[in-house]
Amino acid sequence: MSNYHIKGLEEYFQVYRKSVNQPEQFWGEIAEENFLWRKRWDKVLKWDFEKPEIKWFEGAQLNITENCLDRHLYASADKTAIIFEPNDPLEPAQHITYQELQERVCKFSNVLQDQGIKRGDRVCIYLSMIPELAIAMLACARVGAVHSVVFAGFSSTAIRSRINDANCKMVITSDGSYRGNKTIDLKGIVDVALEDTPSIETVLVVKRIKSDIHMRPNRDKWLEPLMEEASTTFTPEIMNAEDPLFVLYTSGSTGQPKGMLHTTAGYMVYAAYTFKNVFQYNQPDVYWCSADVGWITGHSYIIYGPLLNGATTLLFEGVPNFPDYSRFWDVIDKHKVNQFYTAPTAIRALAKENLSYVENHDLSSLKVLGTVGEPINEEAWHWYNDNIGKNNCPVVDTWFQTENGGIMISPIPFATPTIPTFATLPLPGIQPALMDENGNELLGNQVSGRLCIRFPWPGMARTIYGDHKRFKDTYFSTFKNMYFTGDGALRDATGYYRITGRVDDVIIVSGHNLGTAPIEDVINEHPAVAESAIVGFPHDIKGNSLYGFVILKESGEQRDPQNLRKEINQLISERIGPIAKMEKIQFTNGLPKTRSGKIMRRILRKIAAGEINSLGDSSTLLNPEVVQEIIDTRL
Ligand code: PRX
């Protein structure tokens, strides 16, 4: 039996039991047998959820890029590490071997070093899905710098706040990017962001769309000529196990996005282990995750997890509907993809289109299908299983969070029997607990409550960059000695878990987490707005859409409501990004409030969803009369 690669249900249960009964021995063996260490650890785990302080493999030394790249060169230098499939299907795909990737990472590391980047410095990466994105991240890791990838759909304001929060020294971007039939001026967006970012010294610019852009003297440098001159060797910086590897921002229900800090050794072990088991990757499979590298799914399951396992990982620059709705199936057919991992929102969007888009393609290479990011509804699950997997590929509904580093609850294909909408069982090392609102644990099966994790796992975030108190308050203060996920879940009669959705004010729109308070803050900045409240309501494709209830100032009431709606959404687009725009904006004279002045969102959610006959008790409201008015003027 191998702890590292689980192949059957019985084996899963045995391995799981060991991971709970002897966690240090379990993770110690996996770490020892499957990775390259420059120095062994002194202690596998030290932890205290009160502080909270979590340390895995303390005393060990390593560089994660030696594990992702160098160690594969002995046996598989010519194996394809990354298949790059460009936005335009007429542009040839690129096959980058492990040897070539290692050399390009070394060159980039030399460039970073020449530009003054040292161990511990933070580097912001704002790139679309091109090979340089992967190479830049790995180069940061090789020199010991901390990457902070910002999704290339975010606005200038969002980039600026992330750069300033982490005091980044450098930005890596491109002259623009392709997205379907559009081009996006990434460098222009960065230029605006950098109007107020005192820590930035250098901007490295990748050439992608060959557009004529402004380069600011002394600050902006084209990457290409620097790469041409750079050496193809670079001795990796030897890092300590708990040295930071990256910061990745995720929305909270209030305040600024949280920079989740992931460290080196634990993250490496967990990303590699979960990739191997959840996708049952075997050589020489071709694996494709369609997420963006700007999210945790992309970090762990496009870059680190696959490369740590010597896999071939496909990097797709495009979108599912360009040139038409057959693009995903075209890519799977063209590259004979064996494992495909995507989001429910993409599945729902593609399921709406004519089946002929699917039928014209040979999808027989597929072995495993995955989904992630939000609950998958039964209809989408069946469409995926029937039409893409042809009832022949296990569908793994994988649950995790940016904070977790890697997949936490998921079937193991060919081992765990799947049931639509259930993420099924915890992976080895993961000890879930369901809690009621009073802080009591719900024991046994057929219970539902708030999902917590009672024991550390190697991939968990160690802190929020620059704000350890917020880390403690958000995740470790709601329930004693538990990590609180913010999700609700139920455990059925057989012990399977189904994730039911957020229990806080985070709304998941097309798989993107959006906190309500930060969006409301932006809306309230509009000069015509007095107050606002946002809730989610069900949407066929996006899962949820945003519904805003807005109280106008007197001056706003004179304005054309359609124009005002446009202006408010424009402001959100500029400050946060287009993903946070509201689908509906209802102007109202009041918002239902409790006697202590809190907005009663439960009622607004029901109204937005059209469930006006089950609003529940509103007698405790300060202003019950506004409820009827809001119902009457509902959009
Ligand atoms: O609510 C859960 C939902 O996505 C949240 C985490 O979002 P993020 O940090 O952006 O990471 C997304 C990709 C890992 C969770 O708190 N979520 C994620 N996967 C699932 C899910 N909800 C239901 N089922 C899933 N499989």
Side-chain angles (χ1 to χ4, degrees):
M1 188 182 83
S2 146
N3 285 338
Y4 188 69
H5 188 186
I6 298 165
K7 293 192 182 120
L9 191 59
E10 209 33 55
E11 201 175 319
Y12 159 77
F13 284 119
Q14 275 178 34
V15 171
Y16 185 78
R17 270 195 298 275
K18 175 162 178 180
S19 78
V20 172
N21 296 335
Q22 300 167 287
E24 291 197 43
Q25 196 180 344
F26 173 76
W27 288 112
E29 280 168 20
I30 286 175
E32 179 121 40
E33 289 163 15
N34 298 283
F35 301 90
L36 188 69
W37 301 92
R38 289 301 187 104
K39 179 176 169 284
R40 203 178 182 278
W41 49 90
D42 304 318
K43 177 109 183 80
V44 173
L45 172 64
K46 269 195 201 158
W47 68 292
D48 177 349
F49 274 1
E50 287 278 322
K51 285 184 178 169
E53 186 177 70
I54 301 108
K55 290 185 173 167
W56 282 92
F57 308 111
E58 205 182 10
Q61 293 189 325
L62 71 156
N63 186 288
I64 194 169
T65 71
E66 282 195 311
N67 282 279
C68 289
L69 303 169
D70 303 53
R71 72 172 161 143
H72 304 312
L73 298 186
Y74 302 106
S76 354
D78 296 330
K79 184 186 154 102
T80 301
I82 294 178
I83 299 175
F84 172 56
E85 172 65 26
N87 177 63
D88 180 351
L90 299 177
E91 186 182 328
Q94 294 172 27
H95 288 74
I96 304 170
T97 64
Y98 271 92
Q99 176 85 47
E100 187 189 343
L101 185 62
Q102 196 265 4
E103 286 175 6
R104 287 171 73 177
V105 169
C106 284
K107 276 172 172 263
F108 208 130
S109 304
N110 282 306
V111 172
L112 291 178
Q113 194 176 51
D114 291 347
Q115 298 301 321
I117 297 298
K118 302 180 306 294
R119 180 185 184 118
D121 287 344
R122 274 82 54 213
V123 173
C124 171
I125 304 178
Y126 186 68
L127 282 171
S128 60
M129 295 277 286
I130 56 176
E132 284 79 1
L133 170 54
I135 294 166
M137 290 165 71
L138 293 165
C140 285
R142 199 158 178 98
V143 306
V146 181
H147 56 72
S148 167
V149 178
V150 176
F151 170 58
F154 276 132
S155 67
S156 301
T157 319
I159 304 169
R160 183 185 303 147
S161 69
R162 285 159 174 77
I163 288 175
N164 287 338
D165 184 70
N167 271 305
C168 294
K169 228 169 139 176
M170 173 187 271
V171 184
I172 303 170
T173 187
S174 68
D175 59 347
S177 66
Y178 296 115
R179 191 172 167 76
N181 54 15
K182 292 195 220 124
T183 56
I184 298 166
D185 178 16
L186 292 190
K187 174 64 165 50
I189 297 170
V190 167
D191 282 342
V192 175
L194 298 195
E195 281 166 12
D196 187 16
T197 52
S199 57
I200 293 292
E201 294 171 6
T202 314
V203 179
L204 289 181
V205 186
V206 178
K207 219 175 212 134
R208 174 62 185 133
I209 68 168
K210 309 210 164 41
S211 75
D212 188 17
I213 54 162
H214 174 70
M215 296 287 280
R216 186 164 138 181
N218 301 324
R219 187 194 70 182
D220 302 350
K221 293 171 186 157
W222 289 106
L223 178 70
E224 221 173 295
L226 300 174
M227 285 286 274
E228 269 162 29
E229 282 171 21
S231 155
T232 54
T233 57
F234 185 96
T235 309
E237 185 78 14
I238 301 306
M239 307 304 287
N240 297 319
E242 285 294 344
D243 278 340
L245 176 64
F246 64 86
V247 177
L248 185 59
Y249 287 84
T250 186
S251 308
S253 51
T254 57
Q256 286 294 314
K258 301 167 286 192
M260 303 313 308
L261 184 92
H262 286 277
T263 57
T264 306
Y267 174 80
M268 171 180 81
V269 169
Y270 199 67
Y273 181 73
T274 50
F275 172 77
K276 179 74 181 171
N277 287 295
V278 171
F279 299 103
Q280 290 291 306
Y281 184 89
N282 287 303
Q283 302 292 355
D285 290 345
V286 173
Y287 161 89
W288 178 24
C289 166
S290 78
D292 195 283
V293 170
W295 311 117
I296 190 69
T297 306
H299 278 55
S300 302
Y301 301 110
I302 298 178
I303 310 293
Y304 287 111
L307 297 179
L308 286 163
N309 282 283
T312 297
T313 177
L314 194 147
L315 187 72
F316 175 51
E317 185 185 26
V319 291
N321 59 353
F322 175 79
D324 63 35
Y325 283 98
S326 67
R327 189 66 194 281
F328 272 9
W329 324 127
D330 195 44
V331 173
I332 291 174
D333 188 352
K334 177 173 169 187
H335 296 290
K336 302 293 166 229
V337 169
N338 302 111
Q339 293 89 6
F340 178 55
Y341 191 27
T342 194
T345 185
I347 298 169
R348 287 190 295 262
L350 294 167
K352 256 188 52 206
E353 302 302 323
N354 201 305
L355 256 190
S356 61
Y357 286 120
V358 180
E359 285 160 353
N360 296 335
H361 296 89
D362 175 10
L363 304 181
S364 61
S365 56
L366 287 171
K367 296 194 266 194
V368 175
L369 297 176
T371 88
V372 64
E374 57 189 310
I376 181 164
N377 50 311
E378 200 146 333
E379 210 180 339
W381 193 98
H382 283 295
W383 186 88
Y384 197 35
N385 183 46
D386 296 351
N387 297 298
I388 309 306
K390 318 283 181 202
N391 282 303
N392 205 21
C393 303
V395 173
V396 289
D397 177 356
T398 67
W399 172 81
F400 76 115
Q401 313 176 288
T402 308
E403 294 84 341
N404 307 153
I407 297 167
M408 304 282 282
I409 303 185
S410 166
I412 292 180
F414 314 109
T416 321
T418 58
I419 301 180
T421 77
F422 279 80
T424 73
L425 297 171
L427 292 183
I430 305 307
Q431 301 187 31
L434 296 178
M435 309 295 290
D436 72 13
E437 283 177 32
N438 305 320
N440 302 313
E441 182 169 0
L442 297 157
L443 298 168
N445 290 344
Q446 285 187 296
V447 288
S448 75
R450 280 139 205 263
L451 178 61
C452 293
I453 313 289
R454 69 166 84 253
F455 194 84
W457 62 101
M460 68 191 296
R462 303 297 195 255
T463 191
I464 292 174
Y465 191 89
D467 198 347
H468 196 66
K469 181 173 180 304
R470 190 174 179 198
F471 185 62
K472 178 176 170 148
D473 291 347
T474 311
Y475 304 107
F476 297 92
S477 300
T478 316
F479 301 105
K480 197 169 162 51
N481 273 322
M482 297 267 179
Y483 164 82
F484 175 44
T485 64
D487 282 330
L490 68 82
R491 188 162 53 222
D492 78 356
T494 58
Y496 270 25
Y497 288 87
R498 173 197 222 159
I499 312 301
T500 47
R502 302 290 312 181
V503 293
D504 56 9
D505 287 326
V506 170
I507 304 171
I508 304 190
V509 178
S510 297
H512 303 306
N513 286 9
L514 299 171
T516 49
I519 304 177
E520 288 161 4
D521 290 345
V522 173
I523 300 172
N524 298 348
E525 272 180 42
H526 190 288
V529 172
E531 199 182 350
S532 60
I534 296 182
V535 295
F537 73 105
H539 183 280
D540 279 356
I541 293 173
K542 300 179 190 172
N544 294 294
S545 262
L546 299 184
Y547 194 123
F549 297 89
V550 175
I551 305 178
L552 292 175
K553 290 183 186 156
E554 231 175 276
S555 60
E557 287 170 359
Q558 322 299 327
R559 300 272 318 272
D560 171 45
Q562 250 342 72
N563 284 344
L564 262 183
R565 289 190 176 99
K566 273 196 204 135
E567 284 175 23
I568 293 172
N569 265 337
Q570 181 59 29
L571 195 63
I572 294 177
S573 230
E574 284 164 17
R575 296 295 161 83
I576 300 172
I579 43 178
K581 287 206 283 196
M582 285 177 285
E583 176 111 358
K584 293 187 180 175
I585 302 178
Q586 175 176 352
F587 296 118
T588 168
N589 289 318
L591 293 167
K593 290 198 175 158
T594 61
R595 288 180 197 281
S596 59
K598 264 185 83 175
I599 296 171
M600 186 82 103
R601 286 166 197 279
R602 175 175 58 77
I603 290 180
L604 294 176
R605 272 194 285 269
K606 292 265 184 192
I607 296 177
E611 296 167 9
I612 47 176
N613 294 325
S614 57
L615 290 184
D617 182 17
S618 57
S619 61
T620 56
L621 288 178
L622 189 67
N623 50 353
E625 70 288 351
V626 301
V627 175
Q628 194 54 45
E629 185 215 312
I630 297 177
I631 293 174
D632 293 343
T633 51
R634 215 186 130 244
L635 297 176

